[in-house]
């Protein structure tokens, strides 16, 4: 994935959350063109390398489903997942979660 393609994907994902009343806290680039743990097939192609990134955001559950559906349809994405950190912002502040 090229730098411009990655930038467009991150921007599109952030705008999806923002347009639905959510807030994006930040992005973390874990690695570009890293070897995948095993060969993966997606969109009728096999992939052995990929770029990994995290987007930390706050939103309602419906927004998460819309974001996942959008990412699954994107040809640049091999695999995506959403992990719930806490139920409320106040719990996050109490436990001291950070990115």
């Amino acid at each position: 994935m090229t730098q411009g393609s990655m930038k467009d994907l991150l921007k599109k994902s952030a705008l999806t959350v923002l347009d639905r009343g959510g807030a994006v806290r930040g992005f973390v680039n874990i690695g570009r063109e890293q070897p995948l743990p095993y060969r993966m097939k997606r969109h009728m192609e096999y992939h052995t390398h990929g770029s990994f990134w995290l987007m930390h955001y706050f939103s309602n559950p419906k927004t998460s489903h819309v974001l996942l559906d959008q990412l699954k349809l994107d040809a640049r994405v091999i695999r995506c997942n959403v992990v719930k950190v806490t139920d409320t912002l106040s719990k996050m502040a109490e436990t001291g979660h950070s990115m």
Side-chain angles (χ1 to χ4, degrees):
M1 185 182 300
T2 65
Q3 183 72 20
S5 179
M6 175 75 86
K7 182 180 174 182
D8 291 340
L9 180 62
L10 295 175
K11 185 175 180 179
K12 184 178 176 183
S13 300
L15 287 175
T16 299
V17 173
L18 294 172
D19 289 345
R20 287 166 175 77
V24 177
R25 186 166 176 193
F27 293 95
V28 178
N29 182 7
I30 298 175
R32 296 188 48 83
E33 292 305 315
Q34 298 289 322
L36 299 174
Y38 51 89
R39 187 174 75 151
M40 296 181 189
K41 185 176 182 180
R42 186 67 171 183
H43 303 291
M44 299 175 58
E45 288 184 36
Y46 285 101
H47 303 275
T48 57
H49 288 77
S51 299
F52 298 87
W53 56 275
L54 299 173
M55 180 173 75
H56 197 108
Y57 66 96
F58 305 107
S59 72
N60 60 18
K62 184 160 177 60
T63 301
S64 293
H65 290 292
V66 170
L67 181 62
L68 271 176
D69 291 341
Q70 176 183 316
L71 290 173
K72 287 178 183 176
L73 292 175
D74 197 314
R76 299 170 289 189
V77 176
I78 300 170
R79 185 156 298 162
C80 57
N81 196 4
V82 172
V83 177
K84 182 177 174 180
V85 177
T86 64
D87 289 333
T88 62
L89 290 175
S90 59
K91 285 185 183 177
M92 180 174 262
E94 291 170 5
T95 58
H97 281 292
S98 63
M99 284 186 23

